[in-house]
Amino acid sequence: MIKNFEANTLCGKISAEDLELINRQSLKKLTEDEIFTFSVILCDNEIDRDFEVFSDEALKSLEKLFVGKTGILNHSNRSQDQMCRTYKTELICDSTRKTEYGEAYKYLKAWCYTVKSAKNEDLIKDIESGIKREVSVSCNFSEKVCSVCGESVCSHRAGEFYGDTLCFKRLNGVTDAYEWSFVAVPAQRNAGVTKTAKDRQNTRSHIEKARNEKDLGFAAQYRNEMKQRALKGFSLILPELSSSTAESIINLCNAPALSELVSAFERKTAKLFPVKSQFAENSANTTDWNSQFKF
């Protein structure tokens, strides 16, 4: 499974602690002058365009698994396309930001290094200038859990609302992390989940569209109910009016006017046809206490 994300590439000075971690990955002891370091955001817990989400458990597993993993170009399996290596990761919680489904935003940040060389000169310039930003992680999962029912196998469809709940799938059971890659273009939609800024906006737009469609559905349902109540009112208060004429009048009404019409009909109906209690007093025979039940 390939997961893409638009990364933040942040370059900075190498600390002594970081240099020690880097040298755990190398065979030769490297100095600060020999290496270039940068950080990327590999993945997060936001809903992506395929309506899948890294669970907290998945992010914690990936935090450990990505240490020591290589960074390559375009998910190539050729060794000459290896460009850097991950020496440190951290799962960060941003409590000031919420996900689309209301939880605290979390993301996996990785620190990487590459060697300063003629071969890597253009790569370093591309990273520093922000040319290379889209990051794709390659990993494997054993389970996708439904946000609606909590089951891994169900009939709920990702991207659809069930009541007020949006269906998306939480990725659980990380079995391995293979590599991460800078990609020139976000991965193909059929390759997996894409987490670019554009895709995140598309996801938000889709969610808003679904919510709007749901609201329009409720509005249509409400209008239909009010229409039936208004037709009933016409039949009781103005029985000489044809149903087609009554319906034509109703169709001319906007929501407030239709609501006012229904209220007026129902008030008039309540006066003309008052509801009588089964237990109302029988003035003709007050001594027979159960006369209300006699037919």
Side-chain angles (χ1 to χ4, degrees):
M1 180 179 290
I2 295 175
K3 298 286 191 181
N4 290 357
F5 188 72
E6 182 165 338
N8 292 330
T9 53
L10 305 172
C11 314
K13 187 175 176 63
I14 305 170
S15 67
E17 292 79 9
D18 280 11
L19 190 58
E20 181 182 349
L21 292 173
I22 290 168
N23 280 310
R24 291 179 187 177
Q25 303 294 331
S26 65
L27 294 177
K28 171 195 170 184
K29 188 172 183 178
L30 301 169
T31 65
E32 183 178 349
D33 292 336
E34 295 178 285
I35 53 180
F36 170 80
T37 63
F38 60 97
S39 64
V40 296
I41 296 175
L42 294 179
C43 50
D44 64 10
N45 66 337
E46 189 56 274
I47 300 173
D48 59 38
R49 68 174 181 179
D50 283 337
F51 295 93
E52 292 181 342
V53 170
F54 285 104
S55 67
D56 287 354
E57 178 236 350
L59 289 172
K60 289 177 183 177
S61 297
L62 291 173
E63 180 184 16
K64 298 176 182 178
L65 289 170
F66 266 113
V67 174
K69 293 297 190 294
T70 184
I72 61 177
L73 296 174
N74 299 315
H75 294 295
S76 170
N77 57 6
R78 301 186 308 169
S79 61
Q80 57 263 43
D81 289 328
Q82 288 179 287
M83 60 172 190
C84 64
R85 193 161 295 276
T86 306
Y87 67 88
K88 181 174 70 173
T89 59
E90 183 182 359
L91 180 57
I92 299 173
C93 178
D94 184 354
S95 58
T96 65
R97 177 177 170 183
K98 297 292 184 182
T99 63
E100 295 286 352
Y101 51 96
E103 293 184 5
Y105 177 70
K106 297 176 183 178
Y107 59 94
L108 179 59
K109 187 174 181 180
W111 285 260
C112 315
Y113 76 94
T114 192
V115 177
K116 293 178 181 178
S117 64
K119 175 188 173 184
N120 290 331
E121 186 176 345
D122 289 340
L123 169 66
I124 293 170
K125 287 181 179 178
D126 284 347
I127 293 173
E128 287 182 320
S129 61
I131 300 300
K132 284 186 167 57
R133 293 185 59 136
E134 291 74 29
V135 171
S136 173
V137 296
S138 178
C139 46
N140 193 36
F141 294 85
S142 62
E143 184 180 43
K144 296 181 181 181
V145 177
C146 176
S147 63
V148 177
C149 64
E151 300 294 332
S152 56
V153 178
C154 66
S155 60
H156 297 127
R157 298 179 61 182
E160 294 188 2
F161 278 93
Y162 295 86
D164 292 327
T165 304
L166 173 68
C167 178
F168 58 87
K169 307 297 181 178
R170 290 183 187 270
L171 302 175
N172 284 329
V174 177
T175 57
D176 204 352
Y178 305 118
E179 42 81 8
W180 67 265
S181 173
F182 275 127
V183 289
V185 179
Q188 299 87 354
R189 290 181 182 270
N190 60 359
V193 179
T194 328
K195 290 185 171 64
T196 66
K198 180 180 178 181
D199 293 325
R200 185 169 290 113
Q201 181 59 44
N202 288 342
T203 299
R204 278 197 279 267
S205 298
H206 183 99
I207 293 172
E208 288 304 317
K209 180 182 177 183
R211 284 175 178 157
N212 290 338
E213 288 175 350
K214 179 185 175 186
D215 290 342
L216 288 172
F218 282 140
Q221 181 181 356
Y222 174 75
R223 181 174 179 84
N224 186 57
E225 289 175 358
M226 294 295 285
K227 179 179 176 180
Q228 296 305 315
R229 288 163 65 181
L231 285 171
K232 182 180 178 181
F234 271 114
S235 67
L236 292 173
I237 306 303
L238 297 170
E240 65 276 9
L241 198 66
S242 69
S243 59
S244 59
T245 301
E247 190 164 354
S248 297
I249 295 171
I250 291 169
N251 290 336
L252 294 173
C253 296
N254 58 22
L258 182 57
S259 178
E260 185 178 353
L261 181 64
V262 169
S263 296
F265 276 147
E266 291 182 347
R267 286 195 302 269
K268 189 69 173 178
T269 302
K271 291 179 181 179
L272 294 176
F273 309 100
V275 178
K276 294 183 179 180
S277 171
Q278 184 181 12
F279 298 99
E281 287 188 2
N282 189 336
S283 58
N285 188 2
T286 56
T287 58
D288 191 352
W289 62 272
N290 66 345
S291 61
Q292 289 82 2
F293 296 95
K294 292 181 178 180
F295 297 93

